[in-house]
Amino acid sequence: MKHVNLTMTTTQIRRANMTKRTLSAIWGAGLACLLLSAGSVSAGTMSTGSQTHTLTVDIDNIQVQTGALMVELYANAEDYAAGYNPSASMIKPVTKTEHRLVFSDLADGQYAVKVFHDENGNHSLDTNMLGVPSEGYGFSNNAGSFGPASFKDASFSLQADAQITIHIR
């Protein structure tokens, strides 16, 4: 039979107690943070009264039933112009001449939508030699009759649940 030494040195006892205290402090701090954040979330919700909204985007006039709709929602002019950092985006396979997409949990604000129909699946809007799009595209407010729509022309105010329609060109 093996003999097991159950005695600990003073140094080992101190380390074990320090580890217990450290873990207790970490656990306590984590629990405190959790409780504080839960309190601030409910207090923030109650004090501001803000709520989120749903935006329903109907896209129609789709000419070809292949590929996918590439849809991006922007909340500011800079990101919109750069085509970078959308607030939300969706890719919807095209199976019919019109589709409905729903963006939820949106805060109050100004938004603009860009959409293009990626018919061949290369994830970019194809253009001809003159730079004119050869795949379908559209913008909120159906803006951009002569070239890409500006954020100002395509933007709309979202203060409640809303529905918009974009006609693909």
Side-chain angles (χ1 to χ4, degrees):
M1 185 184 264
K2 254 187 190 180
H3 176 69
V4 177
N5 185 0
L6 297 177
T7 60
M8 294 175 64
T9 66
T10 305
T11 305
Q12 290 172 326
I13 292 171
R14 283 186 189 142
R15 283 186 188 153
N17 286 336
M18 189 165 45
T19 302
K20 284 182 189 176
R21 284 192 304 269
T22 303
L23 290 174
S24 293
I26 292 170
W27 173 254
L31 183 59
C33 287
L34 180 63
L35 292 174
L36 285 173
S37 66
S40 66
V41 167
S42 58
T45 302
M46 289 178 6
S47 66
T48 64
S50 68
Q51 58 183 350
T52 59
H53 309 295
T54 299
L55 173 65
T56 302
V57 180
D58 290 329
I59 301 171
D60 65 12
N61 199 36
I62 301 169
Q63 301 298 311
V64 181
Q65 281 70 59
T66 62
L69 294 171
M70 311 295 266
V71 184
E72 296 177 329
L73 176 70
Y74 291 92
N76 65 65
E78 294 78 28
D79 290 341
Y80 177 88
Y84 178 74
N85 197 27
S87 296
S89 63
M90 285 189 197
I91 299 173
K92 174 78 174 175
V94 174
T95 58
K96 52 189 176 181
T97 60
E98 53 189 50
H99 285 277
R100 174 169 280 183
L101 295 91
V102 178
F103 294 95
S104 51
D105 297 325
L106 300 174
D108 290 352
Q110 285 292 116
Y111 292 94
V113 178
K114 290 181 180 182
V115 59
F116 79 90
H117 181 185
D118 184 18
E119 295 175 20
N120 59 6
N122 67 352
H123 301 285
S124 64
L125 178 63
D126 295 336
T127 58
N128 65 19
M129 291 174 33
L130 300 174
V132 176
S134 57
E135 294 179 308
Y137 65 94
F139 304 94
S140 44
N141 297 332
N142 291 301
S145 298
F146 301 103
S150 68
F151 183 81
K152 180 182 176 187
D153 291 341
S155 68
F156 55 92
S157 179
L158 185 67
Q159 304 297 320
D161 292 352
Q163 184 273 332
I164 64 171
T165 300
I166 298 176
H167 307 295
I168 295 293
R169 296 187 190 104

